[in-house]
Amino acid sequence: MSSTANIHSGYTPQGPHYPVSVPVLQTTAYEFPSYADAQQMFAQTKPGFTYTRTGNPTVAVLEARVAELEGGVAAVATSSGQSAVALALLALLGRGDAERAGGADHDGAGRQIVAAHQLYGGTMDLLTDTFADFGYQVDFVDHQDLDAWRAAVTPQTRAVLLESITNPLAELPDLPAIAQIAHAAGVPVVVDNTLATPALYRPIEHGADVVVHSATKFLGGHGSTLAGVLVDAGTFDFAADPAKWQQLAGDKERYAAGASAGATLVERYGKCAFAALVRTKYLHDLGPALSPSASAEILRGVETLELRVARHRQNARAVAAHLAQHPAVSRVHHPSVLIDHDPEAITSRVLARDFPAGAGSVFAFDLAADVDEDPGAVERFIDALGVFKLVANLGDTRSLVSHPAAMTHCRMTRAQRAAAGIAETTIRVSIGLEEPEDLIEDLNQALLTVSDASAGLTITEGGVAR
Ligand SMILES: Cc1ncc(COP(=O)(O)O)c(C=O)c1O
């Protein structure tokens, strides 16, 4: 990806005014040139915008730009990252549980997703609660355990799901190895690339078939606008097993109007069939469309993505390195710290091999405090912060902090959190674009409140000293 594509791709100024910035075409609908055009566009035999729920020129620029940045063939923008994840998975799953949906699958069983258990909490809620209601089965595996992926993928599996940088521990899954297992079983791979962004990592180059984003985060970058995007890599061969992928490679009455007899989405849209299914069925039927003004806001963010991510990354490295030597911090979960003391860890190897620009700016660290003896340690630390804001978000220009045990992971038991590597004193940070010295100073003064480990520390110009 390049800064040039960030700024120019998907848009050429047009007459009569040639606006240099992408115009916000704030309209719900479009006048059809003629009755015949309307008929053909509704039959999807002629391209064009019919209604903004399924497409809009401003939204289309964002879709084209993110598709190019990720190296995909098409993209669909949605109202939030949550809806992008949901639509991507629903389109791959198709019908729910065979009995509940009133029809047997081609092998008589319900459909399944295999997901890494290191996922954003909202995605977890979708998979474990709402998808369970729909009759889909979801099995979770540790992303590091390739045997577990192998064992979990079955003939019923319709998608494998993982995040390219996990949240909050900033682990890096070995995507090529996981994709190989999924593809050998005829299963597409969906990767949430929100924390990495294409500025650091392009999952399609490592085996992903679909990439999803919460554009709310780094793509928008200013903490102002909710948005999601899903990108179709165009790589997965749905036509290889039409019985399994009926929604894409089978005849469908819904798409028959005006089409040559027997046309399937794969025949009609080729490599873009998956994106076409998402748009024409799921975006159309469920309705989580992105507004033109929100698209323009995200596009403005994308223009500076490369610059911002470089600064986020630089600041994060400086903060992580500082925390790693701070006596009030027992552990820093950032790949740049891990690689120094455990170069053989999967995250370290993936960092060295696939993240040439380094890992991201969302990571965690554990306070050196015992919450059983000092239950107020985390609260004192967070309330003492000034520059860092306590916010349930990430990827903002501002540095943000959250406490997973009390916030994003509060529905898990302490034992479940511990099994996932999240301690009661784990603090997640999203490092912003401020001066790194200001961030370090803010952390230093707040760390003084933490525990005995920091007793007697004084802040000097060089950092913390005993
Ligand atoms: C990795 C990841 N994916 C998806 C989402 C959901 O995105 P949104 O909040 O835009 O709906 C989030 C939100 O925090 C996220 O962090």
Side-chain angles (χ1 to χ4, degrees), residues 423-457:
E424 299 308 284
T425 62
T426 297
I427 305 291
R428 187 191 78 184
V429 282
S430 173
I431 302 297
L433 303 179
E434 302 94 337
E435 293 300 328
E437 296 77 18
D438 293 337
L439 300 177
I440 287 170
E441 191 181 312
D442 193 35
L443 290 165
N444 279 348
Q445 60 82 23
L447 284 168
L448 287 173
T449 68
V450 172
S451 71
D452 289 341
S454 49
L457 297 182

PDB file of all heavy atoms in Angstrom, residues 423-457:
ATOM      1  N   ALA A 423      -4.552 -10.668  33.114  1.00  0.00           N
ATOM      2  CA  ALA A 423      -4.493 -10.600  34.577  1.00  0.00           C
ATOM      3  C   ALA A 423      -5.489  -9.558  35.077  1.00  0.00           C
ATOM      4  O   ALA A 423      -6.004  -8.741  34.302  1.00  0.00           O
ATOM      5  CB  ALA A 423      -3.074 -10.223  35.006  1.00  0.00           C
ATOM      6  N   GLU A 424      -5.744  -9.573  36.381  1.00  0.00           N
ATOM      7  CA  GLU A 424      -6.649  -8.569  36.958  1.00  0.00           C
ATOM      8  C   GLU A 424      -6.042  -7.172  36.872  1.00  0.00           C
ATOM      9  O   GLU A 424      -6.752  -6.176  36.940  1.00  0.00           O
ATOM     10  CB  GLU A 424      -6.972  -8.932  38.417  1.00  0.00           C
ATOM     11  CG  GLU A 424      -7.682 -10.278  38.562  1.00  0.00           C
ATOM     12  CD  GLU A 424      -8.905 -10.409  37.668  1.00  0.00           C
ATOM     13  OE1 GLU A 424      -9.937  -9.810  37.998  1.00  0.00           O
ATOM     14  OE2 GLU A 424      -8.826 -11.115  36.640  1.00  0.00           O
ATOM     15  N   THR A 425      -4.719  -7.097  36.730  1.00  0.00           N
ATOM     16  CA  THR A 425      -4.053  -5.785  36.643  1.00  0.00           C
ATOM     17  C   THR A 425      -3.631  -5.446  35.213  1.00  0.00           C
ATOM     18  O   THR A 425      -2.842  -4.528  35.000  1.00  0.00           O
ATOM     19  CB  THR A 425      -2.800  -5.752  37.532  1.00  0.00           C
ATOM     20  OG1 THR A 425      -1.881  -6.741  37.038  1.00  0.00           O
ATOM     21  CG2 THR A 425      -3.126  -6.023  38.990  1.00  0.00           C
ATOM     22  N   THR A 426      -4.135  -6.215  34.236  1.00  0.00           N
ATOM     23  CA  THR A 426      -3.792  -5.909  32.837  1.00  0.00           C
ATOM     24  C   THR A 426      -4.487  -4.621  32.411  1.00  0.00           C
ATOM     25  O   THR A 426      -5.697  -4.465  32.575  1.00  0.00           O
ATOM     26  CB  THR A 426      -4.206  -7.070  31.905  1.00  0.00           C
ATOM     27  OG1 THR A 426      -3.471  -8.238  32.266  1.00  0.00           O
ATOM     28  CG2 THR A 426      -3.925  -6.717  30.451  1.00  0.00           C
ATOM     29  N   ILE A 427      -3.697  -3.722  31.861  1.00  0.00           N
ATOM     30  CA  ILE A 427      -4.193  -2.427  31.377  1.00  0.00           C
ATOM     31  C   ILE A 427      -4.000  -2.392  29.867  1.00  0.00           C
ATOM     32  O   ILE A 427      -2.914  -2.719  29.375  1.00  0.00           O
ATOM     33  CB  ILE A 427      -3.352  -1.268  31.985  1.00  0.00           C
ATOM     34  CG1 ILE A 427      -3.337  -1.333  33.516  1.00  0.00           C
ATOM     35  CG2 ILE A 427      -3.811   0.088  31.462  1.00  0.00           C
ATOM     36  CD1 ILE A 427      -4.645  -1.023  34.182  1.00  0.00           C
ATOM     37  N   ARG A 428      -5.058  -2.034  29.122  1.00  0.00           N
ATOM     38  CA  ARG A 428      -4.887  -1.893  27.665  1.00  0.00           C
ATOM     39  C   ARG A 428      -4.704  -0.428  27.309  1.00  0.00           C
ATOM     40  O   ARG A 428      -5.412   0.426  27.845  1.00  0.00           O
ATOM     41  CB  ARG A 428      -6.103  -2.428  26.920  1.00  0.00           C
ATOM     42  CG  ARG A 428      -5.853  -2.443  25.398  1.00  0.00           C
ATOM     43  CD  ARG A 428      -7.099  -2.717  24.613  1.00  0.00           C
ATOM     44  NE  ARG A 428      -7.944  -1.541  24.509  1.00  0.00           N
ATOM     45  CZ  ARG A 428      -9.143  -1.523  23.926  1.00  0.00           C
ATOM     46  NH1 ARG A 428      -9.631  -2.627  23.425  1.00  0.00           N
ATOM     47  NH2 ARG A 428      -9.853  -0.413  23.862  1.00  0.00           N
ATOM     48  N   VAL A 429      -3.758  -0.183  26.428  1.00  0.00           N
ATOM     49  CA  VAL A 429      -3.574   1.189  25.956  1.00  0.00           C
ATOM     50  C   VAL A 429      -3.659   1.222  24.429  1.00  0.00           C
ATOM     51  O   VAL A 429      -3.296   0.259  23.751  1.00  0.00           O
ATOM     52  CB  VAL A 429      -2.213   1.793  26.397  1.00  0.00           C
ATOM     53  CG1 VAL A 429      -2.250   2.222  27.841  1.00  0.00           C
ATOM     54  CG2 VAL A 429      -1.058   0.849  26.127  1.00  0.00           C
ATOM     55  N   SER A 430      -4.165   2.326  23.925  1.00  0.00           N
ATOM     56  CA  SER A 430      -4.108   2.622  22.499  1.00  0.00           C
ATOM     57  C   SER A 430      -3.310   3.920  22.420  1.00  0.00           C
ATOM     58  O   SER A 430      -3.756   4.971  22.890  1.00  0.00           O
ATOM     59  CB  SER A 430      -5.518   2.813  21.950  1.00  0.00           C
ATOM     60  OG  SER A 430      -5.454   3.254  20.608  1.00  0.00           O
ATOM     61  N   ILE A 431      -2.097   3.792  21.886  1.00  0.00           N
ATOM     62  CA  ILE A 431      -1.189   4.947  21.941  1.00  0.00           C
ATOM     63  C   ILE A 431      -1.515   5.921  20.812  1.00  0.00           C
ATOM     64  O   ILE A 431      -1.577   5.536  19.644  1.00  0.00           O
ATOM     65  CB  ILE A 431       0.285   4.463  21.843  1.00  0.00           C
ATOM     66  CG1 ILE A 431       0.601   3.474  22.977  1.00  0.00           C
ATOM     67  CG2 ILE A 431       1.236   5.653  21.862  1.00  0.00           C
ATOM     68  CD1 ILE A 431       0.510   4.044  24.374  1.00  0.00           C
ATOM     69  N   GLY A 432      -1.701   7.165  21.193  1.00  0.00           N
ATOM     70  CA  GLY A 432      -2.101   8.200  20.239  1.00  0.00           C
ATOM     71  C   GLY A 432      -0.923   8.925  19.620  1.00  0.00           C
ATOM     72  O   GLY A 432       0.198   8.398  19.558  1.00  0.00           O
ATOM     73  N   LEU A 433      -1.194  10.127  19.167  1.00  0.00           N
ATOM     74  CA  LEU A 433      -0.214  10.879  18.379  1.00  0.00           C
ATOM     75  C   LEU A 433       0.443  12.007  19.168  1.00  0.00           C
ATOM     76  O   LEU A 433       1.109  12.860  18.593  1.00  0.00           O
ATOM     77  CB  LEU A 433      -0.907  11.455  17.137  1.00  0.00           C
ATOM     78  CG  LEU A 433      -1.605  10.431  16.232  1.00  0.00           C
ATOM     79  CD1 LEU A 433      -2.271  11.133  15.050  1.00  0.00           C
ATOM     80  CD2 LEU A 433      -0.614   9.390  15.726  1.00  0.00           C
ATOM     81  N   GLU A 434       0.249  12.012  20.492  1.00  0.00           N
ATOM     82  CA  GLU A 434       0.848  13.082  21.301  1.00  0.00           C
ATOM     83  C   GLU A 434       2.377  12.923  21.329  1.00  0.00           C
ATOM     84  O   GLU A 434       2.924  11.964  20.790  1.00  0.00           O
ATOM     85  CB  GLU A 434       0.311  12.997  22.743  1.00  0.00           C
ATOM     86  CG  GLU A 434      -1.218  13.091  22.870  1.00  0.00           C
ATOM     87  CD  GLU A 434      -1.912  11.736  22.907  1.00  0.00           C
ATOM     88  OE1 GLU A 434      -1.330  10.740  22.413  1.00  0.00           O
ATOM     89  OE2 GLU A 434      -3.045  11.663  23.406  1.00  0.00           O
ATOM     90  N   GLU A 435       3.056  13.865  22.007  1.00  0.00           N
ATOM     91  CA  GLU A 435       4.514  13.739  22.187  1.00  0.00           C
ATOM     92  C   GLU A 435       4.789  12.524  23.066  1.00  0.00           C
ATOM     93  O   GLU A 435       4.187  12.400  24.146  1.00  0.00           O
ATOM     94  CB  GLU A 435       5.074  14.984  22.882  1.00  0.00           C
ATOM     95  CG  GLU A 435       5.008  16.255  22.071  1.00  0.00           C
ATOM     96  CD  GLU A 435       5.782  16.140  20.768  1.00  0.00           C
ATOM     97  OE1 GLU A 435       6.797  15.415  20.733  1.00  0.00           O
ATOM     98  OE2 GLU A 435       5.345  16.744  19.780  1.00  0.00           O
ATOM     99  N   PRO A 436       5.691  11.633  22.665  1.00  0.00           N
ATOM    100  CA  PRO A 436       5.944  10.438  23.486  1.00  0.00           C
ATOM    101  C   PRO A 436       6.399  10.791  24.901  1.00  0.00           C
ATOM    102  O   PRO A 436       6.053  10.094  25.864  1.00  0.00           O
ATOM    103  CB  PRO A 436       7.023   9.674  22.704  1.00  0.00           C
ATOM    104  CG  PRO A 436       7.538  10.616  21.672  1.00  0.00           C
ATOM    105  CD  PRO A 436       6.486  11.640  21.440  1.00  0.00           C
ATOM    106  N   GLU A 437       7.151  11.885  25.039  1.00  0.00           N
ATOM    107  CA  GLU A 437       7.622  12.294  26.381  1.00  0.00           C
ATOM    108  C   GLU A 437       6.435  12.609  27.289  1.00  0.00           C
ATOM    109  O   GLU A 437       6.475  12.316  28.484  1.00  0.00           O
ATOM    110  CB  GLU A 437       8.531  13.533  26.290  1.00  0.00           C
ATOM    111  CG  GLU A 437       9.838  13.320  25.535  1.00  0.00           C
ATOM    112  CD  GLU A 437       9.655  13.309  24.015  1.00  0.00           C
ATOM    113  OE1 GLU A 437       8.600  13.788  23.536  1.00  0.00           O
ATOM    114  OE2 GLU A 437      10.546  12.793  23.321  1.00  0.00           O
ATOM    115  N   ASP A 438       5.402  13.212  26.729  1.00  0.00           N
ATOM    116  CA  ASP A 438       4.223  13.550  27.545  1.00  0.00           C
ATOM    117  C   ASP A 438       3.498  12.277  27.988  1.00  0.00           C
ATOM    118  O   ASP A 438       2.975  12.201  29.102  1.00  0.00           O
ATOM    119  CB  ASP A 438       3.264  14.456  26.761  1.00  0.00           C
ATOM    120  CG  ASP A 438       3.873  15.826  26.488  1.00  0.00           C
ATOM    121  OD1 ASP A 438       4.799  16.219  27.237  1.00  0.00           O
ATOM    122  OD2 ASP A 438       3.449  16.488  25.529  1.00  0.00           O
ATOM    123  N   LEU A 439       3.450  11.299  27.097  1.00  0.00           N
ATOM    124  CA  LEU A 439       2.777  10.033  27.435  1.00  0.00           C
ATOM    125  C   LEU A 439       3.544   9.314  28.547  1.00  0.00           C
ATOM    126  O   LEU A 439       2.959   8.819  29.513  1.00  0.00           O
ATOM    127  CB  LEU A 439       2.674   9.140  26.195  1.00  0.00           C
ATOM    128  CG  LEU A 439       1.879   9.743  25.029  1.00  0.00           C
ATOM    129  CD1 LEU A 439       1.895   8.799  23.825  1.00  0.00           C
ATOM    130  CD2 LEU A 439       0.440  10.018  25.466  1.00  0.00           C
ATOM    131  N   ILE A 440       4.862   9.284  28.404  1.00  0.00           N
ATOM    132  CA  ILE A 440       5.691   8.601  29.395  1.00  0.00           C
ATOM    133  C   ILE A 440       5.602   9.305  30.748  1.00  0.00           C
ATOM    134  O   ILE A 440       5.471   8.669  31.792  1.00  0.00           O
ATOM    135  CB  ILE A 440       7.150   8.491  28.865  1.00  0.00           C
ATOM    136  CG1 ILE A 440       7.192   7.440  27.751  1.00  0.00           C
ATOM    137  CG2 ILE A 440       8.127   8.143  29.986  1.00  0.00           C
ATOM    138  CD1 ILE A 440       8.489   7.375  26.979  1.00  0.00           C
ATOM    139  N   GLU A 441       5.612  10.615  30.702  1.00  0.00           N
ATOM    140  CA  GLU A 441       5.509  11.379  31.952  1.00  0.00           C
ATOM    141  C   GLU A 441       4.170  11.106  32.640  1.00  0.00           C
ATOM    142  O   GLU A 441       4.101  10.925  33.860  1.00  0.00           O
ATOM    143  CB  GLU A 441       5.659  12.867  31.638  1.00  0.00           C
ATOM    144  CG  GLU A 441       5.823  13.731  32.867  1.00  0.00           C
ATOM    145  CD  GLU A 441       5.930  15.199  32.482  1.00  0.00           C
ATOM    146  OE1 GLU A 441       6.709  15.522  31.564  1.00  0.00           O
ATOM    147  OE2 GLU A 441       5.220  16.008  33.085  1.00  0.00           O
ATOM    148  N   ASP A 442       3.111  11.053  31.844  1.00  0.00           N
ATOM    149  CA  ASP A 442       1.784  10.793  32.409  1.00  0.00           C
ATOM    150  C   ASP A 442       1.737   9.397  33.048  1.00  0.00           C
ATOM    151  O   ASP A 442       1.237   9.222  34.172  1.00  0.00           O
ATOM    152  CB  ASP A 442       0.730  10.909  31.301  1.00  0.00           C
ATOM    153  CG  ASP A 442      -0.686  10.980  31.850  1.00  0.00           C
ATOM    154  OD1 ASP A 442      -0.870  11.585  32.933  1.00  0.00           O
ATOM    155  OD2 ASP A 442      -1.603  10.435  31.225  1.00  0.00           O
ATOM    156  N   LEU A 443       2.285   8.422  32.351  1.00  0.00           N
ATOM    157  CA  LEU A 443       2.299   7.056  32.902  1.00  0.00           C
ATOM    158  C   LEU A 443       3.154   7.004  34.166  1.00  0.00           C
ATOM    159  O   LEU A 443       2.771   6.405  35.165  1.00  0.00           O
ATOM    160  CB  LEU A 443       2.830   6.073  31.853  1.00  0.00           C
ATOM    161  CG  LEU A 443       1.892   5.821  30.658  1.00  0.00           C
ATOM    162  CD1 LEU A 443       2.636   5.138  29.520  1.00  0.00           C
ATOM    163  CD2 LEU A 443       0.693   4.974  31.090  1.00  0.00           C
ATOM    164  N   ASN A 444       4.308   7.656  34.135  1.00  0.00           N
ATOM    165  CA  ASN A 444       5.215   7.644  35.295  1.00  0.00           C
ATOM    166  C   ASN A 444       4.526   8.158  36.553  1.00  0.00           C
ATOM    167  O   ASN A 444       4.584   7.522  37.610  1.00  0.00           O
ATOM    168  CB  ASN A 444       6.435   8.525  35.027  1.00  0.00           C
ATOM    169  CG  ASN A 444       7.477   7.795  34.194  1.00  0.00           C
ATOM    170  OD1 ASN A 444       7.389   6.594  34.003  1.00  0.00           O
ATOM    171  ND2 ASN A 444       8.455   8.540  33.693  1.00  0.00           N
ATOM    172  N   GLN A 445       3.845   9.295  36.435  1.00  0.00           N
ATOM    173  CA  GLN A 445       3.240   9.871  37.638  1.00  0.00           C
ATOM    174  C   GLN A 445       2.074   8.992  38.114  1.00  0.00           C
ATOM    175  O   GLN A 445       1.860   8.845  39.308  1.00  0.00           O
ATOM    176  CB  GLN A 445       2.872  11.349  37.443  1.00  0.00           C
ATOM    177  CG  GLN A 445       1.877  11.664  36.332  1.00  0.00           C
ATOM    178  CD  GLN A 445       0.431  11.460  36.744  1.00  0.00           C
ATOM    179  OE1 GLN A 445       0.138  11.503  37.931  1.00  0.00           O
ATOM    180  NE2 GLN A 445      -0.441  11.203  35.784  1.00  0.00           N
ATOM    181  N   ALA A 446       1.363   8.355  37.176  1.00  0.00           N
ATOM    182  CA  ALA A 446       0.255   7.482  37.601  1.00  0.00           C
ATOM    183  C   ALA A 446       0.779   6.178  38.199  1.00  0.00           C
ATOM    184  O   ALA A 446       0.190   5.635  39.133  1.00  0.00           O
ATOM    185  CB  ALA A 446      -0.672   7.203  36.421  1.00  0.00           C
ATOM    186  N   LEU A 447       1.908   5.695  37.676  1.00  0.00           N
ATOM    187  CA  LEU A 447       2.483   4.443  38.199  1.00  0.00           C
ATOM    188  C   LEU A 447       2.963   4.614  39.640  1.00  0.00           C
ATOM    189  O   LEU A 447       3.065   3.636  40.386  1.00  0.00           O
ATOM    190  CB  LEU A 447       3.628   3.964  37.298  1.00  0.00           C
ATOM    191  CG  LEU A 447       3.176   3.324  35.972  1.00  0.00           C
ATOM    192  CD1 LEU A 447       4.358   3.157  35.026  1.00  0.00           C
ATOM    193  CD2 LEU A 447       2.489   1.986  36.208  1.00  0.00           C
ATOM    194  N   LEU A 448       3.248   5.858  40.016  1.00  0.00           N
ATOM    195  CA  LEU A 448       3.680   6.092  41.404  1.00  0.00           C
ATOM    196  C   LEU A 448       2.582   5.721  42.401  1.00  0.00           C
ATOM    197  O   LEU A 448       2.857   5.452  43.564  1.00  0.00           O
ATOM    198  CB  LEU A 448       4.049   7.573  41.594  1.00  0.00           C
ATOM    199  CG  LEU A 448       5.361   8.005  40.950  1.00  0.00           C
ATOM    200  CD1 LEU A 448       5.529   9.513  41.052  1.00  0.00           C
ATOM    201  CD2 LEU A 448       6.536   7.299  41.621  1.00  0.00           C
ATOM    202  N   THR A 449       1.353   5.686  41.947  1.00  0.00           N
ATOM    203  CA  THR A 449       0.246   5.391  42.859  1.00  0.00           C
ATOM    204  C   THR A 449       0.027   3.890  43.033  1.00  0.00           C
ATOM    205  O   THR A 449      -0.806   3.473  43.837  1.00  0.00           O
ATOM    206  CB  THR A 449      -1.082   5.967  42.319  1.00  0.00           C
ATOM    207  OG1 THR A 449      -1.453   5.241  41.130  1.00  0.00           O
ATOM    208  CG2 THR A 449      -0.975   7.444  41.988  1.00  0.00           C
ATOM    209  N   VAL A 450       0.735   3.086  42.263  1.00  0.00           N
ATOM    210  CA  VAL A 450       0.327   1.693  42.112  1.00  0.00           C
ATOM    211  C   VAL A 450       0.566   0.798  43.321  1.00  0.00           C
ATOM    212  O   VAL A 450      -0.347   0.246  43.893  1.00  0.00           O
ATOM    213  CB  VAL A 450       0.971   1.068  40.855  1.00  0.00           C
ATOM    214  CG1 VAL A 450       0.715  -0.420  40.791  1.00  0.00           C
ATOM    215  CG2 VAL A 450       0.401   1.727  39.628  1.00  0.00           C
ATOM    216  N   SER A 451       1.789   0.617  43.688  1.00  0.00           N
ATOM    217  CA  SER A 451       2.040  -0.415  44.692  1.00  0.00           C
ATOM    218  C   SER A 451       3.364  -0.165  45.381  1.00  0.00           C
ATOM    219  O   SER A 451       4.093   0.775  45.068  1.00  0.00           O
ATOM    220  CB  SER A 451       2.095  -1.776  44.011  1.00  0.00           C
ATOM    221  OG  SER A 451       3.277  -1.861  43.260  1.00  0.00           O
ATOM    222  N   ASP A 452       3.666  -1.084  46.276  1.00  0.00           N
ATOM    223  CA  ASP A 452       4.952  -1.007  46.978  1.00  0.00           C
ATOM    224  C   ASP A 452       6.107  -0.999  46.004  1.00  0.00           C
ATOM    225  O   ASP A 452       7.157  -0.434  46.262  1.00  0.00           O
ATOM    226  CB  ASP A 452       5.112  -2.205  47.915  1.00  0.00           C
ATOM    227  CG  ASP A 452       4.151  -2.049  49.080  1.00  0.00           C
ATOM    228  OD1 ASP A 452       3.683  -0.911  49.313  1.00  0.00           O
ATOM    229  OD2 ASP A 452       3.864  -3.061  49.732  1.00  0.00           O
ATOM    230  N   ALA A 453       5.890  -1.646  44.856  1.00  0.00           N
ATOM    231  CA  ALA A 453       6.978  -1.741  43.879  1.00  0.00           C
ATOM    232  C   ALA A 453       7.454  -0.357  43.457  1.00  0.00           C
ATOM    233  O   ALA A 453       8.606  -0.165  43.113  1.00  0.00           O
ATOM    234  CB  ALA A 453       6.516  -2.520  42.645  1.00  0.00           C
ATOM    235  N   SER A 454       6.552   0.624  43.519  1.00  0.00           N
ATOM    236  CA  SER A 454       6.956   1.955  43.072  1.00  0.00           C
ATOM    237  C   SER A 454       7.264   2.890  44.237  1.00  0.00           C
ATOM    238  O   SER A 454       7.530   4.063  44.029  1.00  0.00           O
ATOM    239  CB  SER A 454       5.869   2.557  42.178  1.00  0.00           C
ATOM    240  OG  SER A 454       4.625   2.439  42.776  1.00  0.00           O
ATOM    241  N   ALA A 455       7.180   2.348  45.473  1.00  0.00           N
ATOM    242  CA  ALA A 455       7.477   3.201  46.626  1.00  0.00           C
ATOM    243  C   ALA A 455       8.905   3.705  46.529  1.00  0.00           C
ATOM    244  O   ALA A 455       9.819   2.972  46.184  1.00  0.00           O
ATOM    245  CB  ALA A 455       7.292   2.415  47.911  1.00  0.00           C
ATOM    246  N   GLY A 456       9.090   4.973  46.809  1.00  0.00           N
ATOM    247  CA  GLY A 456      10.444   5.524  46.820  1.00  0.00           C
ATOM    248  C   GLY A 456      10.937   5.944  45.453  1.00  0.00           C
ATOM    249  O   GLY A 456      12.079   6.354  45.303  1.00  0.00           O
ATOM    250  N   LEU A 457      10.084   5.836  44.418  1.00  0.00           N
ATOM    251  CA  LEU A 457      10.535   6.250  43.090  1.00  0.00           C
ATOM    252  C   LEU A 457      10.399   7.753  42.952  1.00  0.00           C
ATOM    253  O   LEU A 457       9.477   8.361  43.485  1.00  0.00           O
ATOM    254  CB  LEU A 457       9.678   5.599  42.004  1.00  0.00           C
ATOM    255  CG  LEU A 457       9.720   4.081  41.912  1.00  0.00           C
ATOM    256  CD1 LEU A 457       8.852   3.624  40.756  1.00  0.00           C
ATOM    257  CD2 LEU A 457      11.152   3.601  41.707  1.00  0.00           C
TER     258      LEU A 457
END
